[in-house]
Amino acid sequence: GYSVSALAPSAIYPVAGPQKALQRHSSKWHATHKPADAPMKAIIVAEAQRQVLDSNLCLAVAQRESAYDPKAQNPDSTAKGLFQLLDGTAKSRICCVTDSFDPLQNARGGIAYLKYLINREHGDVDAALMCYAAGEGNYDTLGPVGIAASPKLNWIPAWHDDIMSIYHDLAGQVVAVPP
């Protein structure tokens, strides 16, 4: 699996990931480069740097979750905003989000939650992403194999691969934050 050491902590410099891992994760999802996304990307990169988390990982999660749309809302759940935070997660002591549609609050909360999960899983980014999507309780109960076999959660392995594909697309790029 991926660990924090495989994902460079430097938020603005190109990241070289293991070639085997890059080949393992192929999907239809690739990094997008729409000019309209620039303000949301800048918020995410600045917040990732502030929280000392790989900005490419944070950008990949936000792209896959909301396509950088701060008003995105999942019709099947309470997930909202850039990082598609569920209401309960958003209001948690980890995220402290009062308005999930506020891009800065959502990015701050989503990145804090992702960092919390990476720490919880001792640097295992794969496990942290599974927890992010399935919920900590589901991950603890089912594990990766059980999640893949679950009719309600079997979309998560492909979701994970989408994020890693986007991450690797971003890896060779430099993302600058405006002063």
Side-chain angles (χ1 to χ4, degrees):
Y2 287 91
S3 68
V4 172
S5 62
L7 302 177
S10 174
I12 61 170
Y13 298 102
V15 178
Q19 287 302 314
K20 262 199 295 193
L22 179 59
Q23 293 167 359
R24 186 180 118 203
H25 297 288
S26 60
S27 78
K28 64 183 170 89
W29 285 84
H30 300 285
T32 60
H33 307 288
K34 297 182 294 190
D37 295 341
M40 296 306 109
K41 287 180 175 181
I43 288 170
I44 293 164
V45 169
E47 189 56 32
Q49 289 175 336
R50 191 182 76 74
Q51 294 192 41
V52 193
L53 194 60
D54 186 325
S55 62
N56 286 336
L57 178 63
C58 298
L59 287 166
V61 170
Q63 182 184 322
R64 180 60 180 85
E65 287 290 80
S66 68
Y68 304 118
D69 179 359
K71 301 297 182 195
Q73 187 165 7
N74 185 326
D76 300 322
S77 72
T78 64
K80 298 178 183 91
L82 290 171
F83 283 81
Q84 288 295 283
L85 297 174
L86 294 171
D87 287 346
T89 303
K91 293 174 186 169
S92 73
R93 65 175 177 74
I94 297 162
C95 297
C96 302
V97 172
T98 57
D99 179 2
S100 288
F101 293 119
D102 177 287
L104 181 56
Q105 281 191 47
N106 195 284
R108 197 166 275 162
I111 292 167
Y113 187 53
L114 188 56
K115 185 173 182 175
Y116 158 77
L117 292 172
I118 291 170
N119 288 331
R120 176 188 185 269
E121 296 302 320
H122 309 287
D124 184 338
V125 174
D126 290 323
L129 288 171
M130 298 285 262
C131 286
Y132 191 96
E136 295 169 64
N138 285 330
Y139 183 80
D140 291 344
T141 302
L142 301 171
V145 174
I147 288 171
S150 167
K152 287 176 60 179
L153 303 172
N154 63 6
W155 55 271
I156 293 173
W159 172 91
H160 167 275
D161 288 352
D162 293 344
I163 288 173
M164 296 315 299
S165 180
I166 295 165
Y167 173 81
H168 286 292
D169 280 355
L170 294 167
Q173 302 170 24
V174 175
V175 181
V177 178

